[in-house]
Amino acid sequence: MELRQIEAFLAVAEELHFGRAAHRLRMAQSPLSQTIRKLEKELGSELFERSTRSVALTTAGVAFLPHARRVMDELDLARRSAVTEPGTFYGRLSIGFSGALNHRTLPPLTRALRHRYPALDLTLTGGLLTQDALQQLRNGSLDLAFVGLPLDAGTLSTRSIALEQLGATVPVDHPLAERPAIALAELSDDGFVTMRAAQGSTLREAIFAACAASGFRPRVAQEVTDPYTALSLVAGGVGVSLMPASVATIMPGGTVFIPLTGTTPLLESGLAWNPAGISPALAVALAVAEEVLPTPAG
């Protein structure tokens, strides 16, 4: 097996298009296809399902992908180590996060890592809900991810980093918008803007659980892919939603955050990682996270 074959595989796996992969590698499509065929022959398994309209990874291709990425990452680290000053920590770390829900937890970690380990190459991937992040941790696309808790993470490891009260977010012209606090049941007739069920959002689960505890099932007015889009739709009058209290400081114009009375529902968030793939970079990131994002008491 040659490095050029692994590079070719990664390009096709990431582009899922032989033409774009060939352009990325600055080579013709025919030699690229031949390189992939030769790799598949050496491995004894087809890595891609090909049709006239699409390219997709096979089961073998999905299994091979994280190992191929690791090979290229190690090669890159080896090159960098040859030109790095003695005593400098170098490495590569990929972190996934959702976006608005992590605006208080992501910055302290990334600032600390960049300050203490300036040669550490950080790659940040936003817009990921919990189940998307878990899948990418399993296949090696991510090293560390901000997730909602609790969850069934299987073989992955998790640690709690924040516990926040949920509050109502309503349009500025909502009849309850000027109230200092409301009971969640007062929103039972409103439509709710939530995350998509298929994406496994713990925020969505928390919203439905809180509404059930208040005696009603929320009517979904719109499903979206990320929390800040939900807030934008709330501002547009599409519906209402529930968000953690930290979001109150980044609300878009046209929205109001209102605390809830009674037993306030909580949203727990944490970090997740794959203990089977702990690299030196992930090890230092977990150590820094323990310091700057400690597990909340209780």
Side-chain angles (χ1 to χ4, degrees), residues 65-66 69-70 94-97 123-145 147 156 272-274:
L65 181 58
R69 283 182 169 141
R70 198 167 296 124
S94 179
I95 302 176
F97 64 102
T123 300
L124 304 178
T125 301
L128 295 178
L129 296 184
T130 293
Q131 293 303 319
D132 298 326
L134 295 182
Q135 181 57 38
Q136 293 195 36
L137 287 171
R138 293 188 181 103
N139 67 25
S141 300
L142 289 177
D143 299 304
L144 186 65
V147 297
L156 301 177
W273 64 94
N274 191 340

Side-chain angles (χ1 to χ4, degrees), residues 5-250:
Q5 292 175 318
I6 298 177
E7 289 177 329
F9 165 76
L10 286 175
V12 178
E14 291 168 359
E15 299 290 345
L16 292 180
H17 190 282
F18 275 82
R20 289 195 297 268
H23 178 74
R24 170 173 153 180
L25 295 171
R26 299 181 180 179
M27 63 187 299
Q29 187 169 331
S30 179
L32 174 60
S33 297
Q34 292 173 14
T35 299
I36 295 297
R37 288 292 188 192
K38 183 178 179 182
L39 176 61
E40 291 175 322
K41 183 177 180 180
E42 292 179 0
L43 293 173
S45 298
E46 289 194 354
L47 300 172
F48 297 100
E49 294 178 354
R50 307 162 176 85
S51 71
T52 56
R53 294 186 176 181
S54 65
V55 177
L57 285 165
T58 63
T59 301
V62 171
F64 186 65
L65 181 58
H67 301 286
R69 283 182 169 141
R70 198 167 296 124
V71 167
M72 299 310 298
D73 285 346
E74 287 298 324
L75 177 61
D76 179 61
L77 291 178
R79 289 170 175 162
R80 291 167 63 183
S81 68
V83 296
T84 301
E85 294 183 7
T88 300
F89 180 87
Y90 58 90
R92 179 174 293 170
L93 187 74
S94 179
I95 302 176
F97 64 102
S98 69
L101 298 184
N102 304 125
H103 80 281
R104 284 190 177 176
T105 51
L106 176 68
L109 178 59
T110 55
R111 281 199 303 268
L113 287 172
R114 291 191 183 280
H115 176 70
R116 301 181 194 184
Y117 305 103
L120 179 63
D121 185 6
L122 286 180
T123 300
L124 304 178
T125 301
L128 295 178
L129 296 184
T130 293
Q131 293 303 319
D132 298 326
L134 295 182
Q135 181 57 38
Q136 293 195 36
L137 287 171
R138 293 188 181 103
N139 67 25
S141 300
L142 289 177
D143 299 304
L144 186 65
F146 288 80
V147 297
L149 298 175
L151 55 84
D152 181 8
T155 59
L156 301 177
S157 296
T158 64
R159 181 176 68 80
S160 177
I161 59 172
L163 195 61
E164 296 185 77
Q165 293 183 340
L166 290 178
T169 58
V170 303
V172 70
D173 58 354
H174 191 279
L176 303 176
E178 295 185 5
R179 293 264 298 275
I182 62 172
L184 180 53
E186 294 182 82
L187 298 177
S188 60
D189 293 331
D190 285 89
F192 277 70
V193 182
T194 71
M195 307 304 106
R196 291 176 180 169
Q199 292 178 292
S201 165
T202 51
L203 175 58
R204 177 191 171 96
E205 294 172 1
I207 291 173
F208 273 72
C211 292
S214 295
F216 71 99
R217 179 178 177 82
R219 175 176 59 84
V220 177
Q222 183 76 43
E223 292 184 329
V224 296
T225 57
D226 69 89
Y228 202 79
T229 299
L231 289 173
S232 297
L233 294 188
V234 170
V238 175
V240 301
S241 193
L242 299 185
M243 290 286 167
S246 62
V247 172
T249 59
I250 59 168

Side-chain angles (χ1 to χ4, degrees), residues 270-284:
L271 293 171
W273 64 94
N274 191 340
I278 293 189
S279 63
L282 177 56
V284 299

